[in-house]
Amino acid sequence: MPQITVEYSAELAEGFDRRGFALAVHHALAPLVSSEVGDFKTRFRTIEESVIGDGAPAAMVHVRVGLLTGRPVELKQEVGRVTIGLVREHLKPVEGLPTKLTLEVYDLDRAPYQKLAI
């Protein structure tokens, strides 16, 4: 059920342990959101080009965590804290490249959600 999308600047690819992050976040969030680890899905998208702030060289990681509707705000805040902390643990800084980490936790039920395992 939890759907996680991670967008990250191409310059960070070498120092971002994406698989390690995904596995860690699945295991850390499963008990928080009352879900099974096997229900988590995380996908990564490389950002080839972006402009941050005044255009000075910078990189970014943006994480979106989708949960089924009905979760209290406090739970969503804890999911955010845990997730952003795990990004930090699995991302090696690139010297001379400031990096912004951002995150949003949203309700999946904005649009109909369906799941089929084949």
Side-chain angles (χ1 to χ4, degrees):
M1 167 253 329
Q3 301 282 331
I4 303 169
T5 303
V6 182
E7 298 175 312
Y8 63 95
S9 297
E11 299 88 347
L12 303 175
E14 190 174 308
F16 188 14
D17 177 8
R18 295 178 295 281
R19 181 174 175 77
F21 165 75
L23 293 172
V25 81
H26 294 178
H27 285 277
L29 295 185
L32 281 177
V33 300
S34 303
S35 187
E36 298 294 322
V37 170
D39 291 334
F40 281 77
K41 292 148 206 87
T42 298
R43 57 193 163 275
F44 296 89
R45 297 180 180 151
T46 305
I47 301 168
E48 295 298 328
E49 183 176 359
S50 63
V51 177
I52 300 169
D54 63 4
M60 66 178 284
V61 176
H62 180 71
V63 182
R64 297 187 77 222
V65 179
L67 302 172
L68 292 178
T69 300
R71 309 304 172 105
V73 171
E74 296 80 16
L75 176 66
K76 291 178 182 179
Q77 290 171 335
E78 182 64 15
V79 165
R81 278 190 291 277
V82 168
T83 303
I84 205 90
L86 288 170
V87 170
R88 185 64 195 98
E89 288 178 24
H90 290 84
L91 179 66
K92 293 179 186 168
V94 175
E95 190 173 330
L97 187 65
T99 301
K100 307 286 184 181
L101 307 180
T102 58
L103 178 131
E104 62 182 297
V105 179
Y106 68 98
D107 292 331
L108 276 174
D109 290 351
R110 289 189 214 163
Y113 173 77
Q114 297 182 23
K115 175 182 172 181
L116 174 65
I118 55 173

